[in-house]
mmCIF file of all heavy atoms in Angstrom:
data_model
loop_
_atom_site.group_PDB
_atom_site.id
_atom_site.type_symbol
_atom_site.label_atom_id
_atom_site.label_comp_id
_atom_site.label_asym_id
_atom_site.label_seq_id
_atom_site.Cartn_x
_atom_site.Cartn_y
_atom_site.Cartn_z
ATOM 1 N N ALA A 1196 2.115 -1.240 16.790
ATOM 2 C CA ALA A 1196 2.512 -0.021 17.561
ATOM 3 C C ALA A 1196 2.729 -0.496 18.988
ATOM 4 O O ALA A 1196 2.008 -1.390 19.444
ATOM 5 C CB ALA A 1196 1.522 1.083 17.449
ATOM 6 N N CYS A 1197 3.536 0.195 19.717
ATOM 7 C CA CYS A 1197 3.829 -0.286 21.058
ATOM 8 C C CYS A 1197 2.791 0.136 22.077
ATOM 9 O O CYS A 1197 2.654 -0.516 23.131
ATOM 10 C CB CYS A 1197 5.228 0.396 21.566
ATOM 11 S SG CYS A 1197 5.122 2.098 21.956
ATOM 12 N N GLY A 1198 1.981 1.214 21.880
ATOM 13 C CA GLY A 1198 0.957 1.618 22.754
ATOM 14 C C GLY A 1198 1.360 2.299 23.956
ATOM 15 O O GLY A 1198 0.560 2.811 24.760
ATOM 16 N N ARG A 1199 2.673 2.535 24.092
ATOM 17 C CA ARG A 1199 3.196 3.214 25.314
ATOM 18 C C ARG A 1199 3.952 4.507 24.986
ATOM 19 O O ARG A 1199 4.193 5.300 25.882
ATOM 20 C CB ARG A 1199 4.275 2.331 25.991
ATOM 21 C CG ARG A 1199 3.631 0.918 26.372
ATOM 22 C CD ARG A 1199 4.739 0.125 27.125
ATOM 23 N NE ARG A 1199 5.900 -0.197 26.267
ATOM 24 C CZ ARG A 1199 6.010 -1.145 25.380
ATOM 25 N NH1 ARG A 1199 5.004 -2.030 25.256
ATOM 26 N NH2 ARG A 1199 7.074 -1.309 24.682
ATOM 27 N N CYS A 1200 4.445 4.714 23.763
ATOM 28 C CA CYS A 1200 5.277 5.938 23.557
ATOM 29 C C CYS A 1200 4.397 7.186 23.405
ATOM 30 O O CYS A 1200 3.122 7.084 23.351
ATOM 31 C CB CYS A 1200 6.091 5.735 22.287
ATOM 32 S SG CYS A 1200 5.218 5.775 20.764
ATOM 33 N N ALA A 1201 5.013 8.343 23.318
ATOM 34 C CA ALA A 1201 4.299 9.550 23.246
ATOM 35 C C ALA A 1201 3.431 9.687 22.069
ATOM 36 O O ALA A 1201 2.290 10.129 22.170
ATOM 37 C CB ALA A 1201 5.290 10.768 23.311
ATOM 38 N N HIS A 1202 3.903 9.140 20.913
ATOM 39 C CA HIS A 1202 3.026 9.265 19.665
ATOM 40 C C HIS A 1202 1.837 8.295 19.892
ATOM 41 O O HIS A 1202 0.679 8.644 19.443
ATOM 42 C CB HIS A 1202 3.977 8.838 18.446
ATOM 43 C CG HIS A 1202 4.935 9.722 18.245
ATOM 44 N ND1 HIS A 1202 4.794 11.176 17.816
ATOM 45 C CD2 HIS A 1202 6.305 9.580 18.155
ATOM 46 C CE1 HIS A 1202 5.859 11.689 17.670
ATOM 47 N NE2 HIS A 1202 6.900 10.895 17.885
ATOM 48 N N CYS A 1203 2.052 7.101 20.416
ATOM 49 C CA CYS A 1203 0.880 6.149 20.606
ATOM 50 C C CYS A 1203 -0.148 6.807 21.482
ATOM 51 O O CYS A 1203 -1.351 6.800 21.237
ATOM 52 C CB CYS A 1203 1.321 4.849 21.159
ATOM 53 S SG CYS A 1203 2.103 3.813 19.880
ATOM 54 N N HIS A 1204 0.316 7.438 22.566
ATOM 55 C CA HIS A 1204 -0.533 8.055 23.564
ATOM 56 C C HIS A 1204 -1.298 9.239 22.905
ATOM 57 O O HIS A 1204 -2.391 9.619 23.254
ATOM 58 C CB HIS A 1204 0.240 8.567 24.759
ATOM 59 C CG HIS A 1204 0.588 7.440 25.690
ATOM 60 N ND1 HIS A 1204 -0.263 6.632 26.227
ATOM 61 C CD2 HIS A 1204 1.754 7.025 26.225
ATOM 62 C CE1 HIS A 1204 0.146 5.735 26.974
ATOM 63 N NE2 HIS A 1204 1.490 5.932 26.969
ATOM 64 N N ARG A 1207 -1.251 8.734 17.425
ATOM 65 C CA ARG A 1207 -0.522 8.739 16.136
ATOM 66 C C ARG A 1207 0.253 7.450 16.030
ATOM 67 O O ARG A 1207 1.523 7.421 16.026
ATOM 68 C CB ARG A 1207 0.463 9.953 16.039
ATOM 69 C CG ARG A 1207 -0.244 11.336 16.381
ATOM 70 C CD ARG A 1207 -1.187 11.824 15.283
ATOM 71 N NE ARG A 1207 -0.599 11.895 14.022
ATOM 72 C CZ ARG A 1207 -0.098 13.053 13.612
ATOM 73 N NH1 ARG A 1207 -0.041 14.156 14.308
ATOM 74 N NH2 ARG A 1207 0.565 13.150 12.326
ATOM 75 N N VAL A 1208 -0.445 6.348 15.922
ATOM 76 C CA VAL A 1208 0.157 5.005 16.076
ATOM 77 C C VAL A 1208 1.087 4.730 14.888
ATOM 78 O O VAL A 1208 2.042 3.996 15.077
ATOM 79 C CB VAL A 1208 -0.836 3.831 16.141
ATOM 80 C CG1 VAL A 1208 -1.462 3.843 17.571
ATOM 81 C CG2 VAL A 1208 -1.840 3.946 15.158
ATOM 82 N N LEU A 1210 3.221 6.762 13.752
ATOM 83 C CA LEU A 1210 4.474 7.382 14.053
ATOM 84 C C LEU A 1210 5.122 6.766 15.304
ATOM 85 O O LEU A 1210 6.148 7.346 15.856
ATOM 86 C CB LEU A 1210 4.238 8.874 14.347
ATOM 87 C CG LEU A 1210 3.529 9.607 13.193
ATOM 88 C CD1 LEU A 1210 3.327 11.101 13.500
ATOM 89 C CD2 LEU A 1210 4.300 9.331 11.893
ATOM 90 N N CYS A 1211 4.610 5.645 15.806
ATOM 91 C CA CYS A 1211 5.108 5.000 17.015
ATOM 92 C C CYS A 1211 6.618 4.872 17.041
ATOM 93 O O CYS A 1211 7.317 4.556 16.004
ATOM 94 C CB CYS A 1211 4.466 3.580 17.119
ATOM 95 S SG CYS A 1211 5.257 2.525 18.388
ATOM 96 N N SER A 1212 7.277 5.142 18.111
ATOM 97 C CA SER A 1212 8.739 5.219 18.217
ATOM 98 C C SER A 1212 9.299 3.786 18.148
ATOM 99 O O SER A 1212 10.429 3.595 18.017
ATOM 100 C CB SER A 1212 9.184 5.832 19.452
ATOM 101 O OG SER A 1212 8.617 7.162 19.583
ATOM 102 N N ASN A 1213 8.411 2.890 18.445
ATOM 103 C CA ASN A 1213 8.873 1.461 18.548
ATOM 104 C C ASN A 1213 8.078 0.468 17.568
ATOM 105 O O ASN A 1213 7.961 -0.647 17.873
ATOM 106 C CB ASN A 1213 8.653 0.951 20.032
ATOM 107 C CG ASN A 1213 9.291 1.863 20.964
ATOM 108 O OD1 ASN A 1213 10.454 2.079 21.043
ATOM 109 N ND2 ASN A 1213 8.422 2.410 21.882
ATOM 110 N N LEU A 1214 7.720 1.128 16.470
ATOM 111 C CA LEU A 1214 6.854 0.425 15.502
ATOM 112 C C LEU A 1214 7.659 -0.798 14.945
ATOM 113 O O LEU A 1214 8.844 -0.726 14.683
ATOM 114 C CB LEU A 1214 6.587 1.324 14.302
ATOM 115 C CG LEU A 1214 5.356 0.907 13.425
ATOM 116 C CD1 LEU A 1214 4.180 0.961 14.202
ATOM 117 C CD2 LEU A 1214 5.384 1.944 12.221
HETATM 118 ZN ZN1 ZN B 380 4.363 3.591 20.252
#
Side-chain angles (χ1 to χ4, degrees):
C1197 75
R1199 299 181 303 273
C1200 73
H1202 294 298
C1203 282
H1204 283 305
R1207 309 290 299 269
V1208 288
L1210 306 181
C1211 170
S1212 308
N1213 308 301
L1214 198 65

